[in-house]
Amino acid sequence: MSNIVIVGTQWGDEGKGKIVDWLSEKADLVVRFQGGHNAGHTLVVNENVFKLSLLPSGIVRDNTKVLIGNGVVIDPIHLIKEIKQLEEKQIKITPENLIISDAAFLILPIHQLIDELRENKNGSNKIGTTGRGIGPAYEDKVGRRGIRICDFCDENELLEKLKKLYDHHNIWLSASGQDIQKPEGTYKKLLELGRLILPFVQPSWRVIQKYNSSSYNILFEGAQGTFLDIDHGTYPYVTSSNTVSAQAGIGSGTGPTAIDYTIGITKAYTTRVGSGPFPTEDTGEDGKKLGKNGFEFGTVTGRQRRCGWFDAILVKQAVQLSNINGIALTKMDVLDGFQDIKICVGYKLGSETINYFPTSNKEQKSIVPIYEVMKGWNGSIVGIRDFKKLPKEAKAYVKRIEELVDCKVILISTSPERSDTIYLKNPFDKD
């Protein structure tokens, strides 16, 4: 048995979908443990493109079961929509291969309304949310007024809980000059959706326990990236959940000793969507070239990503925060054609040189990257599947990243295609 956690080491969009898809081949269960449908994964399988934002990536595998854990917030309308979209592509989804935690919280239409109104009120100081209601849903969870999947089972209690939730939010809506919202329409819609969703529902912790006791392989699939973590990220420009590896157990129902290996998905350069600090952002021609070569547009929002150079300080900190055992280096091919490639190896903060990413938002915005410049390579590495066949400059780049982040690279992706990957170690294989 091996239980593996996958996390992003930057600001999300690191290419987790492809890596999870590869690992799913040896996983018996793939578990999504945090976030909502604000995080997108794109899979390319035999020229078929699958865009997922809530269902775990393993769902496209014939013999893999997937679990949406209690740490996820679920928009039931979007869930049914995503299931139907996959079924239209001949992906069979039944209670045999999809399990939904009975303790997961729901995202309601009122959450989306509040999310959008708040972001619009922020004007030029927008956080950069997707407007999908993730934050307000987590607020209701912590405020102990949220609606859970298990509430579908009691229609009378569901209505009473909805009334209390709407009463709470209508105070703010009324004070903001907005029309108050009535729960009855949402209630009727939830009853319809509940009948579709309940066949998939089980206690997630019991499922995890069953798989652990039977020596199966479990893959815990994180969404977003380390520096969008509510505790460890660039607060307040973060998501509303914990994205580091420790959340895998909390968001699904198991303890830390059940985790055997943690993989950090790491892009060979750096991107970010929305507002917030980004020390290595390149707004010049190189940044534009990275964006163009990497097709850097969000899977969920379609927003263009900000692009910049690899930040070794940031990634090393992510390695330490999640006790990452191996790096999966993605989108190496995007660096094709660059004469020089920069790597951030430290920061200047005023007159001081520091080797960590600071906590203070003011300091995060003030730091200036210190770059080391490496020679780029000629030609294209697209489709290369053997490390020995990489240009010497590309090999040197990988080795330098390993040195700077103090972690081995176990996989290198050389195109979006599933098969275009250099495998240096399979974490499911015992040493």
Side-chain angles (χ1 to χ4, degrees):
M1 179 192 78
S2 290
N3 290 346
I4 294 173
V5 178
I6 282 186
V7 294
T9 63
Q10 294 149 313
W11 281 289
D13 309 309
E14 298 98 347
K16 291 182 287 294
K18 172 181 173 176
I19 310 306
V20 172
D21 177 54
W22 164 61
L23 289 168
S24 297
E25 190 172 11
K26 289 200 173 185
D28 300 290
L29 180 69
V30 179
V31 181
R32 173 81 183 273
F33 58 83
Q34 50 78 218
H37 64 309
N38 55 340
H41 289 164
T42 300
L43 309 179
V44 181
V45 184
N46 297 327
E47 298 184 354
N48 292 317
V49 179
F50 301 96
K51 293 183 181 291
L52 307 175
S53 55
L54 187 57
L55 293 170
S57 299
I59 195 68
V60 303
R61 290 276 184 184
D62 291 336
N63 299 315
T64 304
K65 292 188 178 182
V66 301
L67 167 66
I68 299 176
N70 56 275
V72 179
V73 285
I74 298 173
D75 179 338
I77 297 173
H78 180 86
L79 174 63
I80 297 302
K81 178 183 175 183
E82 195 167 314
I83 288 173
K84 288 181 178 178
Q85 286 174 341
L86 286 183
E87 288 177 336
E88 288 171 359
K89 293 193 174 188
Q90 311 307 313
I91 302 297
K92 190 177 293 185
I93 299 177
T94 72
E96 293 300 312
N97 67 344
L98 171 63
I99 302 165
I100 300 169
S101 171
D102 60 354
F105 281 75
L106 296 181
I107 301 171
L108 306 173
I110 197 169
H111 292 139
Q112 296 179 12
L113 173 64
I114 290 168
D115 203 357
E116 292 170 0
L117 289 171
R118 284 180 182 171
E119 192 74 337
N120 290 335
K121 280 179 175 289
N122 285 332
S124 60
N125 295 316
K126 285 181 169 64
I127 297 296
T129 75
T130 59
R132 297 197 164 198
I134 311 297
Y138 273 117
E139 287 176 34
D140 280 348
K141 174 180 178 176
V142 176
R144 290 167 288 194
R145 57 181 170 268
I147 309 295
R148 296 187 293 173
I149 290 286
C150 60
D151 292 324
F152 282 134
C153 297
D154 190 324
E155 295 182 3
N156 293 328
E157 187 176 359
L158 174 61
L159 180 58
E160 290 305 308
K161 288 183 176 182
L162 272 175
K163 287 178 179 178
K164 291 179 182 178
L165 185 149
Y166 272 68
D167 285 345
H168 171 83
H169 289 300
N170 278 330
I171 296 172
W172 181 82
L173 288 171
S174 179
S176 299
Q178 303 294 324
D179 293 336
I180 64 170
Q181 302 295 302
K182 296 182 179 180
E184 285 77 14
T186 298
Y187 174 66
K188 290 180 181 178
K189 186 65 176 176
L190 286 180
L191 292 182
E192 297 173 12
L193 293 166
R195 295 185 186 103
L196 297 173
I197 291 171
L198 278 174
F200 299 96
V201 174
Q202 296 185 46
S204 58
W205 66 270
R206 293 191 68 189
V207 176
I208 300 290
Q209 175 59 31
K210 173 185 173 183
Y211 274 76
N212 277 336
S213 62
S214 301
S215 298
Y216 287 115
N217 292 330
I218 305 177
L219 182 63
F220 296 87
E221 173 186 350
Q224 295 131 334
T226 298
F227 293 95
L228 293 176
D229 187 281
I230 188 70
D231 286 301
H232 302 289
T234 49
Y235 188 89
Y237 304 98
V238 292
T239 193
S240 300
S241 61
N242 289 109
T243 61
V244 294
S245 63
Q247 178 64 21
I250 297 169
S252 60
T254 191
T257 56
I259 306 303
D260 300 299
Y261 198 93
T262 300
I263 300 173
I265 313 299
T266 305
K267 196 177 283 187
Y269 50 103
T270 312
T271 61
R272 177 164 198 166
V273 171
S275 306
F278 185 173
T280 63
E281 182 175 12
D282 190 312
T283 56
E285 290 304 312
D286 283 341
K288 292 177 183 177
K289 184 176 178 180
L290 287 169
K292 182 180 179 181
N293 291 358
F295 302 102
E296 293 297 352
F297 295 91
T299 300
V300 170
T301 64
R303 289 183 292 183
Q304 186 168 359
R305 298 175 185 136
R306 300 154 63 190
C307 297
W309 298 107
F310 188 85
D311 191 333
I313 302 301
L314 198 77
V315 174
K316 183 175 183 179
Q317 195 156 315
V319 167
Q320 295 172 341
L321 285 168
S322 285
N323 282 355
I324 290 170
N325 303 103
I327 293 288
L329 193 63
T330 63
K331 304 191 84 166
M332 268 282 287
D333 53 298
V334 174
L335 297 176
D336 287 349
F338 281 91
Q339 186 174 350
D340 295 312
I341 300 173
K342 296 179 182 178
I343 300 180
C344 175
V345 295
Y347 304 126
K348 290 289 291 185
L349 180 59
S351 59
E352 185 182 1
T353 299
I354 61 174
N355 61 356
Y356 64 94
F357 191 69
T359 303
S360 159
N361 189 244
K362 182 179 179 181
E363 290 183 345
Q364 289 172 356
K365 291 179 178 179
S366 300
I367 54 178
V368 177
I370 300 169
Y371 285 117
E372 178 177 301
V373 180
M374 298 191 70
K375 187 179 179 182
W377 50 87
N378 294 320
S380 173
I381 66 168
V382 172
I384 291 179
R385 303 173 189 178
D386 184 344
F387 186 78
K388 295 177 183 178
K389 293 182 179 180
L390 288 174
K392 64 178 181 180
E393 295 86 359
K395 293 178 190 174
Y397 185 67
V398 173
K399 292 298 182 184
R400 186 61 179 140
I401 285 175
E402 287 183 328
E403 293 169 359
L404 290 169
V405 306
D406 195 22
C407 190
K408 282 289 183 183
V409 172
I410 64 166
L411 176 154
I412 302 167
S413 174
T414 58
S415 99
E417 286 288 345
R418 176 193 283 175
S419 57
D420 290 341
T421 309
I422 299 170
Y423 303 118
L424 302 174
K425 173 181 170 61
N426 188 328
F428 278 125
D429 293 337
K430 296 295 183 181
D431 293 331

